Amino acid sequence: MKKVLMVVDETGGAKAVLSVHRSMVREPESVVVVHVRRPAVRTALRGVIEHRHPGRDQAVDEGSDRILGFYEKELEKAGTVKVKTVLREGDPTEEILNLAREERVDLIIIAEDGFSLFRPFVRGCVFKGVQRSTSVPVLVAKRSRNEKSHTLDWKERKTYAA
């Protein structure tokens, strides 16, 4: 296996991707780690939100950088030869599929979206959309129901992770 795409975010199941990679995937030549942000809400209230929360976009960018940095360091500690991090904004399913085509990956590792019964109806299931729309093998990392999410401190700011 030459190239693996790991999809990570700030949710509870994202660290399961790292665990699955370590235990189930033979060491690839390179790993592409992607974090996809949903686009900011564009409404008439955008100015009001920005006034109440100045620097919100910068904080979101810093959070994404911390997430990608965390996974990059973990992979490097494990001895992964080449790690590339990518930040995308847009529909997660489309962005993951586009990046997989661009990078010509051999495997996609993605976390299950979680346990909410209503989330698939509200946001859609990203991992199911990726599975249905790609010819590349997809490995879905599942978090056990017993696993509790906790807060990781990435340089003084707390970010929600598994």
Side-chain angles (χ1 to χ4, degrees):
M1 188 162 309
K2 292 184 179 188
K3 195 179 274 192
V4 173
L5 176 64
M6 288 179 59
V7 181
V8 299
D9 59 16
E10 70 283 353
T11 62
K15 283 190 81 175
V17 170
L18 191 58
S19 176
V20 164
H21 175 265
R22 286 179 180 153
S23 62
M24 299 185 76
V25 178
R26 203 179 282 158
E27 198 59 43
E29 289 178 14
S30 65
V31 176
V32 179
V33 181
V34 63
H35 174 63
V36 182
R37 293 189 318 211
R38 293 186 184 271
V41 178
R42 307 283 184 220
T43 66
L45 295 176
R46 178 83 176 142
V48 173
I49 292 169
E50 186 59 36
H51 178 71
R52 284 188 172 177
H53 305 284
R56 184 171 190 250
D57 291 339
Q58 182 181 357
V60 170
D61 288 343
E62 289 172 4
S64 295
D65 290 343
R66 282 189 195 93
I67 291 166
L68 289 171
F70 172 79
Y71 287 98
E72 182 177 28
K73 285 177 188 172
E74 289 296 313
L75 287 166
E76 287 173 352
K77 274 196 260 181
T80 303
V81 178
K82 188 176 175 187
V83 179
K84 176 181 178 181
T85 58
V86 178
L87 175 61
R88 294 276 177 107
E89 185 172 321
D91 176 62
T93 303
E94 289 177 22
E95 294 300 327
I96 293 164
L97 293 169
N98 289 339
L99 185 61
R101 278 190 293 275
E102 291 167 17
E103 293 288 335
R104 297 178 186 207
V105 299
D106 301 309
L107 175 69
I108 300 170
I109 305 175
I110 187 170
E112 184 179 43
D113 288 348
F115 305 117
S116 171
L117 296 173
F118 300 106
R119 187 178 302 167
F121 301 108
V122 178
R123 287 186 18 202
C125 287
V126 175
F127 78 93
K128 286 182 181 178
V130 170
Q131 277 182 319
R132 275 185 250 138
S133 303
T134 187
S135 59
V136 175
V138 177
L139 185 56
V140 179
K142 236 179 147 174
R143 178 177 70 153
S144 73
R145 291 189 184 269
N146 299 349
E147 188 178 333
K148 299 283 186 208
S149 292
H150 62 278
T151 305
L152 289 177
D153 187 6
W154 282 317
K155 296 206 179 180
E156 301 166 3
R157 283 215 176 154
K158 303 237 180 215
T159 305
Y160 195 68

